[in-house]
Short mmCIF file of all heavy atoms in Angstrom, two decimals:
data_model
loop_
_atom_site.label_atom_id
_atom_site.label_comp_id
_atom_site.label_asym_id
_atom_site.label_seq_id
_atom_site.Cartn_x
_atom_site.Cartn_y
_atom_site.Cartn_z
N ARG D 17 66.12 47.90 -71.58
CA ARG D 17 67.17 48.89 -71.38
C ARG D 17 67.44 49.05 -69.85
O ARG D 17 68.29 49.85 -69.50
CB ARG D 17 66.79 50.24 -72.00
CG ARG D 17 67.01 50.21 -73.55
CD ARG D 17 66.89 51.56 -74.19
NE ARG D 17 65.53 52.07 -74.24
CZ ARG D 17 64.60 51.70 -75.11
NH1 ARG D 17 64.89 50.83 -76.09
NH2 ARG D 17 63.40 52.23 -75.09
N PRO D 45 55.82 50.20 -77.74
CA PRO D 45 54.57 49.36 -77.78
C PRO D 45 54.90 47.87 -77.62
O PRO D 45 55.81 47.35 -78.27
CB PRO D 45 54.03 49.66 -79.13
CG PRO D 45 55.18 50.07 -79.99
CD PRO D 45 56.18 50.73 -79.04
N GLY D 83 60.95 37.46 -64.37
CA GLY D 83 61.95 37.68 -63.32
C GLY D 83 61.63 38.83 -62.42
O GLY D 83 62.23 39.10 -61.42
N SER D 85 59.83 40.99 -59.64
CA SER D 85 59.25 40.60 -58.39
C SER D 85 57.88 41.27 -58.14
O SER D 85 57.45 42.05 -58.97
CB SER D 85 60.20 40.99 -57.20
OG SER D 85 60.37 42.38 -57.20
N ALA D 100 44.02 29.45 -68.30
CA ALA D 100 42.92 28.49 -68.55
C ALA D 100 42.27 28.73 -69.91
O ALA D 100 41.84 27.74 -70.59
CB ALA D 100 41.86 28.64 -67.41
N ARG D 122 66.89 24.68 -52.08
CA ARG D 122 66.44 23.25 -52.17
C ARG D 122 67.25 22.38 -51.24
O ARG D 122 66.69 21.53 -50.57
CB ARG D 122 66.56 22.81 -53.63
CG ARG D 122 66.15 21.35 -53.86
CD ARG D 122 64.66 21.13 -53.65
NE ARG D 122 64.34 19.76 -53.93
CZ ARG D 122 63.63 18.99 -53.13
NH1 ARG D 122 63.06 19.47 -52.06
NH2 ARG D 122 63.33 17.73 -53.44
N ALA D 124 68.76 23.34 -48.52
CA ALA D 124 68.33 23.70 -47.17
C ALA D 124 67.08 22.94 -46.80
O ALA D 124 66.96 22.44 -45.68
CB ALA D 124 68.14 25.21 -47.07
N ALA D 128 67.10 20.14 -43.74
CA ALA D 128 66.54 20.70 -42.51
C ALA D 128 66.14 19.63 -41.48
O ALA D 128 66.38 19.79 -40.28
CB ALA D 128 65.34 21.58 -42.81
N THR D 151 65.24 36.27 -50.34
CA THR D 151 65.72 34.87 -50.46
C THR D 151 65.94 34.29 -49.05
O THR D 151 65.59 33.13 -48.84
CB THR D 151 67.04 34.86 -51.26
OG1 THR D 151 66.75 35.33 -52.63
CG2 THR D 151 67.59 33.46 -51.34
N ALA D 152 66.49 35.04 -48.15
CA ALA D 152 66.73 34.54 -46.78
C ALA D 152 65.39 34.24 -46.11
O ALA D 152 65.25 33.20 -45.44
CB ALA D 152 67.51 35.55 -45.98
N ARG D 154 62.55 33.49 -47.58
CA ARG D 154 61.98 32.23 -48.19
C ARG D 154 62.72 30.99 -47.71
O ARG D 154 62.11 29.92 -47.49
CB ARG D 154 62.07 32.30 -49.71
CG ARG D 154 60.86 33.06 -50.31
CD ARG D 154 60.76 32.85 -51.79
NE ARG D 154 61.95 33.30 -52.52
CZ ARG D 154 62.18 34.59 -52.85
NH1 ARG D 154 61.29 35.49 -52.62
NH2 ARG D 154 63.30 34.89 -53.45
N ALA D 156 64.23 30.59 -44.86
CA ALA D 156 63.74 30.31 -43.54
C ALA D 156 62.42 29.58 -43.53
O ALA D 156 62.12 28.65 -42.78
CB ALA D 156 63.62 31.62 -42.69
N THR D 170 61.15 23.04 -31.26
CA THR D 170 61.92 24.27 -31.37
C THR D 170 63.39 23.99 -31.17
O THR D 170 63.77 23.00 -30.60
CB THR D 170 61.47 25.31 -30.32
OG1 THR D 170 61.60 24.66 -29.02
CG2 THR D 170 60.04 25.75 -30.50
N ALA D 174 69.65 28.63 -25.11
CA ALA D 174 69.58 28.97 -23.71
C ALA D 174 69.71 30.47 -23.48
O ALA D 174 69.90 30.91 -22.34
CB ALA D 174 70.66 28.19 -22.95
N VAL D 187 62.31 34.37 -38.21
CA VAL D 187 61.36 34.23 -39.37
C VAL D 187 60.85 32.78 -39.37
O VAL D 187 61.65 31.86 -39.59
CB VAL D 187 62.08 34.53 -40.70
CG1 VAL D 187 61.14 34.36 -41.86
CG2 VAL D 187 62.66 35.93 -40.66
N GLY D 189 60.34 31.02 -36.90
CA GLY D 189 61.07 30.24 -35.91
C GLY D 189 62.56 30.03 -36.25
O GLY D 189 63.27 29.39 -35.45
N ARG D 225 75.42 38.87 -64.12
CA ARG D 225 75.55 37.78 -65.08
C ARG D 225 75.15 36.45 -64.47
O ARG D 225 74.85 35.46 -65.17
CB ARG D 225 76.98 37.73 -65.59
CG ARG D 225 77.25 38.76 -66.66
CD ARG D 225 78.70 38.75 -67.04
NE ARG D 225 79.53 39.13 -65.88
CZ ARG D 225 80.87 39.03 -65.82
NH1 ARG D 225 81.50 38.52 -66.85
NH2 ARG D 225 81.55 39.43 -64.77
N ILE D 235 63.90 30.14 -70.64
CA ILE D 235 63.52 30.32 -72.05
C ILE D 235 63.45 28.96 -72.80
O ILE D 235 62.52 28.72 -73.58
CB ILE D 235 64.57 31.24 -72.74
CG1 ILE D 235 64.44 32.69 -72.17
CG2 ILE D 235 64.37 31.28 -74.25
CD1 ILE D 235 65.54 33.62 -72.60
#
Side-chain angles (χ1 to χ4, degrees):
Chain D
R17 284 189 288 279
S85 61
R122 178 67 178 132
T151 298
R154 276 195 299 277
T170 55
V187 178
R225 280 174 297 169
I235 291 170

